[in-house]
Amino acid sequence: MGMDPRHAILFEPVRIGPKTLPNRFYQVPHASGFGSARPRAQAAFRGIKAEGGWGGVCVEYAAVSADSDEIPAISADLWDDADGRALALTAAAVHAHGALAGLELFHGGAASANGSSRGVRLAPSQRGSQAQWGGLAAEMTADDITRVRRDWVTAARRAADAGFDIVYVYGAHGYLMTQFISPVTNRRTDGYGGSLANRGRFWLETLAAVRDAVGDRCAIATRMSAHGRRGLPGIETDEMLRLVAMASDLVDLFDLTVGSWPEDSGSSRFYPEGHQSDWTHRFREATSKPIVAVGRYTSPDVMARVVASGAVDLIGSARQAIADPFLPAKVRAGRLDEIRECTGSNLCILREETFNQIGCAQNATAGEEYRRGWHPELLPAATNSGQPVLIVGAGPAGLECAVTLGRRGFGQVHLVEAEPEIGGRLAWIRRLPTLGDWGRIVDYRAVQLARLPGVEVLTGRRLTAAEIVDYGAPIVVLATGSTWRGDGAQPGHPDPMPGADPAVPWVLTPEQVAAGVRPPGPRVVVYDADGYFMGSALADLLAREGSRVTIVTTFPVLSPVSDETLEGEALREHVHRAGIDVVHATTVTAIQAVPGGPVTLTGTDRYAEAWSAVCDGVVLVTMQSSNDALHAELTADRGALAAAGISLYRIGDALAPRLISEAIFDGHRLAREIDGPDPAVPAPYRRERAGR
Ligand code: ADP
């Protein structure tokens, strides 16, 4: 099958200054956790996107000088020639597949932590410090401005020498250039403060200096923030349009984003595809230079329409390029049903920001290209692919394991699921408010399974331990998932909570609510000791149906995990607008009620004082526990397993309830290593160390 002619527009080359992009697919700069410190991981991670057809591939933000140090976050640094040599590996990896390599040179100013360097943070004005960890930033002198501009030029030369085709003067997302542009953070009275031209001067001068230095060798890009719904303090779209017009002659490629990062990378729960376009698409008014903007676009039809509209020249992508590095190649070949669509869960951001190791809910290989040698599309044939395999449970872990084994050439894989529908927990989570796009995890795998002749899916069949032993499969994978506890046990309080009994109508588990069970009256407490999406999603569902919902949470803020996925602010606004009350830092320790009467919750507040509330029913989002009964039963008689010649493995939530990205990873990891010496234990992975 060939390319749909409507998508041909996406494969047109685009000239940017002295360079030409081979097509309109552009992986915008985004963090990975690799920086310059893990250059081989960086190179492999970016190179795979070039291999998959992205015409422009960028490294994350790269600091031009040591007084912009992001520790504990990892940026790329381009402070010296050694950094340049490290990043040159990425330029080479990208070039190997005919794409252009971009480096987003930046200075964080007051937003840089400087935790490691101990350098003073720099800012246009002292009052403009944004990150005030233990102190303010220093107001930049004229010498500082000259020096940072010089550092930028030096870094740009290094980038060009390292082979990069596109160098950035990063002006977005609250970093130093934005701090100069905003009158809220720039209170200067010299030539770098006051009027728009003055506030933009540092950015324009730096663009001009970088252009003078490397403009014949590299395309000059800049990243700017349009206002967006939440905006950046003091920066209005009309002013930015005027600045873009002023910069137009200096720039070969405008990379446009909105507002702050949490809005720009808004999750699918709270931001629709293309939500940035109301702002970013206005920039065409100000420049005829090539424009790239993101939109979490996953459909080539939409991408082609956006380009055809003339508002942008390139489809910018971070998250979709992580979920499927081979999207362009699949579009070109007309293999649209093989595209792994981004879920917009932002677990990539959680992984790279929190753990400095990017990952993905859809693509288990993201970030594993170098250290585990995993390729997203090419899977080596397994040496034991002739053996029958039984996978018990078709949740994310079981599904991913089955698909990966099928792609490795296994010819007799049975994926057996107790429920009538595949998907495991996602089968019901995807039906909760705001969580529909997470269903793409199941949909993608359902399509792949249907085309893998070696994998058979059997639904509506709950296997017992005896049936598993007798099944005839020498490889058995338990992917039986986990269940929310109904007994009220919670972190820090491991014993059952008095009165917590899901058999009474006023105590409900998430699964019961998802199945349509409702408390006996309208006043509902959702008790959240979990801290991620489940509590708020169930509260949202019940509030939409007319319940008067209060979330009582053990955490000082609602859903702290959502801050790691950049969703916290939007989630709290959403909950507030839904009319849901929130009680923070409160632990429920007992439930008392009599049939037909009110339900009293008692516990302690944030000061360890007695706390109580009255309601008609409580939903317990306290803790999950692994469905490990089958495993316990099977391993109780190791002799019987051995006699049956069975190797038994456990993956996903059945092992320990975790993020969905980790269940996918688990399923993939086992299938990748199923012909290794000890598949139960992850094989060692390559680490980048001195002397290697
Ligand atoms: P994970 O995220 O680890 O994949 P899930 O909880 O999403 O876990 O999915 C586990 C799936 O396993 C559920 O769909 C559940 O119905 C299924 N399952 C559990 N026990 C059995 C069993 N004995 N036989 C078949 N399927 C089972």
Side-chain angles (χ1 to χ4, degrees):
M1 195 195 306
M3 177 176 64
D4 184 329
R6 288 175 306 158
H7 302 151
I9 192 171
L10 297 170
F11 293 91
E12 293 169 350
V14 178
R15 198 181 160 85
I16 48 168
K19 301 284 178 174
T20 300
L21 288 157
N23 60 40
R24 299 183 189 270
F25 295 98
Y26 187 87
Q27 184 245 279
V28 293
H30 72 81
S32 62
F34 302 140
S36 325
R38 285 193 279 164
R40 292 175 188 82
Q42 176 77 264
F45 178 63
R46 307 295 175 181
I48 212 83
K49 296 181 202 322
E51 186 183 338
W54 296 84
V57 179
C58 299
V59 173
E60 62 257 40
Y61 62 160
V64 297
S65 37
D67 48 26
S68 176
D69 146 40
E70 293 284 288
I71 298 290
I74 303 281
S75 67
D77 301 317
L78 198 45
W79 300 347
D80 58 25
D81 290 342
D83 287 330
R85 286 193 296 277
L87 291 170
L89 299 183
T90 294
V94 170
H95 289 161
H97 302 285
L100 297 188
L103 194 58
E104 184 186 39
L105 299 178
F106 103 110
H107 194 296
S112 278
N114 287 359
S116 172
S117 68
R118 308 179 85 163
V120 66
R121 293 194 290 273
L122 298 177
S125 306
Q126 189 159 73
R127 65 185 298 168
S129 176
Q130 293 179 339
Q132 300 187 1
W133 300 323
L136 297 181
E139 177 166 317
M140 288 173 80
T141 63
D143 285 348
D144 290 330
I145 290 174
T146 305
R147 199 262 300 159
V148 171
R149 193 170 51 235
R150 202 174 54 231
D151 287 346
W152 217 299
V153 168
T154 306
R157 285 208 178 92
R158 280 198 183 103
D161 292 346
F164 285 92
D165 309 284
I166 305 164
V167 295
Y168 273 70
V169 177
Y170 189 177
H173 290 147
Y175 292 121
L176 184 60
M177 291 301 175
T178 313
Q179 292 156 28
F180 267 86
I181 292 167
S182 168
V184 173
T185 44
N186 181 348
R187 312 298 295 175
R188 301 177 78 93
T189 53
D190 63 4
Y192 291 94
S195 67
L196 179 66
N198 277 1
R199 284 182 276 122
R201 186 179 308 282
F202 182 33
W203 173 60
L204 292 167
E205 283 178 354
T206 306
L207 273 170
V210 168
R211 189 176 191 82
D212 278 351
V214 299
D216 54 338
R217 290 199 282 161
C218 298
I220 310 299
T222 192
R223 210 177 209 186
M224 308 280 300
S225 286
H227 188 273
R229 195 165 72 82
R230 289 168 184 272
L232 278 171
I235 297 189
E236 298 302 327
T237 302
D238 288 340
E239 281 207 326
M240 285 310 244
L241 290 176
R242 281 165 55 206
L243 268 181
V244 164
M246 286 182 216
S248 202
D249 288 344
L250 301 171
V251 172
D252 301 315
L253 174 63
F254 282 98
D255 179 340
L256 300 173
T257 67
V258 294
S260 58
W261 188 28
E263 180 176 357
D264 186 34
S265 294
S267 78
S268 59
R269 293 193 66 187
F270 306 111
Y271 292 93
E273 187 171 332
H275 69 92
Q276 305 93 332
S277 60
D278 285 350
W279 290 276
T280 53
H281 288 191
R282 282 196 57 198
F283 279 72
R284 181 54 87 210
E285 297 167 26
T287 182
S288 57
K289 289 291 181 67
I291 291 176
V292 58
V294 295
R296 199 171 50 76
Y297 300 119
T298 58
S299 144
D301 290 352
V302 176
M303 294 178 185
R305 261 205 313 276
V306 169
V307 170
S309 78
V312 300
D313 302 276
L314 306 173
I315 295 297
S317 175
R319 289 170 290 177
Q320 180 54 51
I322 298 167
D324 196 342
F326 276 66
L327 178 137
K330 291 173 184 176
V331 175
R332 193 188 262 287
R335 289 163 32 215
L336 304 185
D337 60 347
E338 291 179 45
I339 294 173
R340 255 190 320 270
E341 288 186 298
C342 171
T343 63
S345 68
N346 284 1
L347 286 170
C348 49
I349 293 169
L350 177 148
R351 284 223 44 92
E352 60 86 3
E353 286 292 293
T354 314
F355 304 119
N356 284 321
Q357 171 67 42
I358 199 158
C360 176
Q362 275 282 44
N363 174 13
T365 69
E368 307 294 346
E369 299 84 357
Y370 168 74
R371 66 176 188 174
R372 293 186 209 264
W374 290 356
H375 188 286
E377 302 298 317
L378 304 176
L379 289 99
T383 53
N384 52 354
S385 62
Q387 295 194 356
V389 181
L390 170 63
I391 303 173
V392 186
L399 286 168
E400 176 66 12
C401 191
V403 169
T404 309
L405 289 176
R407 290 168 72 192
R408 293 201 64 195
F410 277 84
Q412 298 173 72
V413 178
H414 280 196
L415 175 61
V416 181
E417 167 56 51
E419 299 295 324
E421 192 185 349
I422 63 166
R425 56 183 148 153
L426 275 174
W428 56 272
I429 287 172
R430 68 182 303 177
R431 299 199 176 101
L432 296 176
T434 73
L435 287 160
D437 280 0
W438 290 24
R440 292 172 171 181
I441 290 171
V442 183
D443 296 342
Y444 165 74
R445 287 165 182 81
V447 172
Q448 307 320 307
L449 285 174
R451 55 200 303 156
L452 285 167
V455 187
E456 198 172 331
V457 182
L458 299 113
T459 52
R461 183 154 174 215
R462 182 172 295 277
L463 291 176
T464 63
E467 287 169 332
I468 291 169
V469 173
D470 292 342
Y471 205 88
I475 300 175
V476 174
V477 181
L478 298 180
T480 48
S482 59
T483 310
W484 286 93
R485 296 180 74 118
D487 66 358
Q490 53 187 317
H493 296 267
D495 294 324
M497 182 191 294
D501 175 2
V504 297
W506 56 87
V507 176
L508 300 176
T509 63
E511 284 93 343
Q512 287 175 318
V513 176
V517 184
R518 293 293 175 265
R523 296 169 303 171
V524 183
V525 166
V526 174
Y527 178 50
D528 177 23
D530 166 67
Y532 191 22
F533 66 92
M534 186 57 72
S536 61
L538 293 174
D540 195 358
L541 173 72
L542 295 166
R544 283 173 197 231
E545 292 174 357
S547 291
R548 294 209 307 277
V549 183
T550 302
I551 302 176
V552 176
T553 175
T554 51
F555 296 96
V557 295
L558 178 62
S559 189
V561 180
S562 296
D563 286 321
E564 309 303 314
T565 53
L566 301 183
E567 296 170 293
E569 205 179 336
L571 174 127
R572 289 172 207 120
E573 180 184 334
H574 183 82
V575 163
H576 169 73
R577 292 193 192 287
I580 297 166
D581 289 330
V582 183
V583 176
H584 298 102
T586 297
T587 304
V588 177
T589 51
I591 303 168
Q592 285 159 315
V594 287
V599 179
T600 303
L601 307 179
T602 52
T604 51
D605 69 8
R606 71 175 72 218
Y607 307 111
E609 304 282 347
W611 171 92
S612 68
V614 172
C615 57
D616 300 312
V618 57
V619 182
L620 294 174
V621 186
T622 53
M623 247 172 100
Q624 301 170 79
S625 57
S626 295
N627 298 328
D628 53 8
L630 269 184
H631 183 259
E633 207 179 323
L634 287 166
T635 52
D637 189 353
R638 294 253 176 215
L641 275 186
I646 291 176
S647 302
L648 183 69
Y649 305 103
R650 207 164 25 143
I651 55 174
D653 282 15
L655 201 52
R658 284 161 291 164
L659 299 172
I660 285 173
S661 54
E662 306 318 289
I664 293 283
F665 175 82
D666 248 15
H668 192 91
R669 204 279 311 156
L670 181 68
R672 282 270 181 178
E673 297 178 353
I674 199 72
D675 49 353
D678 185 2
V681 180
Y685 52 82
R686 290 200 283 186
R687 289 183 291 155
E688 299 186 56
R689 288 176 287 188
R692 286 285 165 100

